[in-house]
Amino acid sequence: MRPFEFRRALDAADAVAGLAGSPRARFLAGGTNLVDLMKLGVETPEVLIDISRLPLDGVEETDAGGLRIGAAVRNTDLAVHPLVRDRWPALSQAILAGASGQLRNAATVGGNLLQRTNCVYFQDTSKPCNKRAPGTGCPAVEGAHRDLAILGASELCVATYPGDMAVALAAFDAVVHLLGPDGRTRTRRRGGRLRASPGADRRHLPDPPPSTTTPWSRTPHSFCAQFAEVQVDTDTGETRVRRLVGVFAAGRILNPRTARSQLVGAMVMGLSMALREGSHIDPAFGDFAEQDLAGYHVAASADIPDIEAHWIEEDDPHLGSLGVKASARSASSVPPLQSATPSSTPPAPASVNSPPPRRRAGRHGCDAAQQGVTPAHELLALLSLQE
């Protein structure tokens, strides 16, 4: 671990003075990006200046009808603010599209604008990178450059900004107000470079045009309904899923064979979660009992005699020229032509809470509040019904 000095700023001027006095000083607010880069060795600050307690977390309407946003406002607080949701809905949606709820609760508006790229070469200190070490080269130009720049880049660097919020702010012609070491406030508009040296004091959103105040919005999520036919042996508690059917609304299906394979595979994966996956605390050691895959049976298609995946053809003009859908952030790991995530969650409630069909040793009819439907759980449920 590299040693560093930690300071807590008394006010904005004190924070800026501390940053100007050390070229390797960094501001620390939420730390959701900086701390990760410090762990990777990309950022090696000598001084960390804590600005998380400064009174820069206000969101207020201006006399001109715009919005003034403090640099320390948490992303979640900004996304759910009534003024933002009503008058700048694209900004709210952009914030909610990024990261996870836990990260948005900690991350700040100022830190979001200053976050560094997600380029794998930038984050790997064993590789050259012009952005991290100017003059060493950019291997991403010819190497792994998925999700990096296609237009607007140069031969020196094709890294991209990793966030969503700044794009929405630029679309609304937001102005960034910066507090410099001389005590003067400067502004940065779209096209200007935002540097980490001065203290970012606040952001200002102008009054939106009427077209941006539309109260409705559309999110191209995929949806599905799934149905399970489950058999339980009343003597042993063994559970078998005899049939699993899923019907999906996932926009235009570009490749039916690949889409069906992904959907069926995800349904089987969800069945593993429903029947085998659990999180049980060991009372003796206070840790999870399931620490490895030794006792975890991963289901296969052969475990379900009859499994079907169907979809409804959709023609949604709001989805663009291709008309395809992807679900949330899973498009980063599954090709965005058809994401399988909507099909992996419903098998749990479909199989665990399926009604008793008309067959031998049918479902016992009591809802299960936890997953990991082991024979022991089934037998206990059956005994409770007999009582």
Side-chain angles (χ1 to χ4, degrees):
M1 179 178 177
R2 294 181 176 86
F4 58 87
E5 181 184 353
F6 180 83
R7 301 178 188 171
R8 178 162 291 149
L10 302 177
D11 51 34
D14 182 48
V16 172
L19 194 69
S22 176
R24 294 180 59 186
R26 296 290 185 271
F27 286 146
L28 176 66
T32 55
N33 186 232
L34 175 62
V35 173
D36 287 342
L37 294 179
M38 291 175 63
K39 292 178 180 178
L40 295 172
V42 176
E43 288 282 2
T44 57
E46 294 179 347
V47 180
L48 282 183
I49 304 174
D50 182 11
I51 60 172
S52 61
R53 301 189 182 186
L54 297 184
L56 300 174
D57 56 352
V59 179
E60 55 186 23
E61 188 174 9
T62 65
D63 296 336
L67 197 66
R68 184 176 292 109
I69 306 166
V73 174
R74 305 292 174 177
N75 287 0
T76 297
D77 295 336
L78 183 61
V80 302
H81 195 280
L83 284 174
V84 176
R85 297 180 64 179
D86 180 51
R87 302 177 62 188
W88 294 273
L91 175 59
S92 177
Q93 294 170 26
I95 296 172
L96 295 176
S100 64
Q102 293 89 338
L103 287 177
R104 291 194 298 269
N105 290 341
T108 62
V109 173
N112 192 301
L113 297 186
L114 293 173
Q115 64 181 309
R116 309 302 299 274
T117 180
N118 287 335
C119 176
V120 294
Y121 298 105
F122 172 78
Q123 297 183 348
D124 187 349
T125 56
S126 67
K127 301 292 192 298
C129 173
N130 283 330
K131 185 175 287 292
R132 175 171 31 82
T136 58
C138 179
V141 173
E142 300 294 337
H145 46 242
R146 182 182 177 90
D147 296 329
L148 297 184
I150 299 175
L151 304 174
S154 71
E155 68 277 4
L156 299 178
C157 182
V158 293
T160 53
Y161 173 74
D164 300 286
M165 184 183 69
V167 179
L169 290 173
F172 288 125
D173 291 326
V175 178
V176 180
H177 298 262
L178 306 174
L179 179 64
D182 57 359
R184 297 173 56 192
T185 299
R186 298 168 176 82
T187 60
R188 289 289 186 276
R189 297 178 181 270
R190 182 171 55 182
R193 183 181 179 185
L194 180 63
R195 299 180 298 172
S197 54
D201 178 68
R202 59 186 183 274
R203 285 105 191 102
H204 176 264
L205 278 177
D207 188 27
S211 60
T212 65
T213 60
T214 307
W216 62 271
S217 61
R218 300 180 63 89
T219 303
H221 289 313
S222 301
F223 299 92
C224 71
Q226 294 191 31
F227 309 89
E229 183 178 309
V230 181
Q231 184 176 8
V232 178
D233 191 307
T234 55
D235 296 323
T236 65
E238 181 182 10
T239 299
R240 293 285 184 180
V241 177
R242 297 303 182 186
R243 188 185 184 199
L244 190 59
V245 179
V247 182
F248 303 88
R252 181 185 177 191
I253 304 298
L254 299 181
N255 190 324
R257 178 178 296 181
T258 301
R260 190 181 304 277
S261 176
Q262 286 190 340
L263 295 173
V264 168
M267 292 165 68
V268 175
M269 180 178 69
L271 184 64
S272 292
M273 176 181 68
L275 301 184
R276 304 295 179 184
E277 187 171 326
S279 297
H280 303 98
I281 301 296
D282 188 329
F285 299 98
D287 201 355
F288 288 104
E290 298 86 2
Q291 297 183 0
D292 53 46
L293 294 175
Y296 182 80
H297 172 69
V298 180
S301 298
D303 292 325
I304 309 173
D306 188 1
I307 181 169
E308 305 174 29
H310 307 276
W311 51 77
I312 300 172
E313 294 293 340
E314 288 187 290
D315 184 14
D316 192 333
H318 297 279
L319 293 178
S321 58
L322 290 179
V324 298
K325 285 184 178 181
S327 65
R329 298 180 62 85
S330 62
S332 62
S333 57
V334 180
L337 298 183
Q338 238 70 57
S339 172
T341 293
S343 55
S344 62
T345 304
S351 57
V352 172
N353 294 322
S354 59
R358 291 186 297 175
R359 61 176 185 274
R360 189 189 74 82
R363 194 68 175 157
H364 45 68
C366 63
D367 292 346
Q370 66 182 55
Q371 62 188 38
V373 186
T374 63
H377 292 156
E378 297 293 279
L379 289 175
L380 288 175
L382 291 170
L383 288 175
S384 66
L385 288 179
Q386 293 176 3
E387 295 175 357

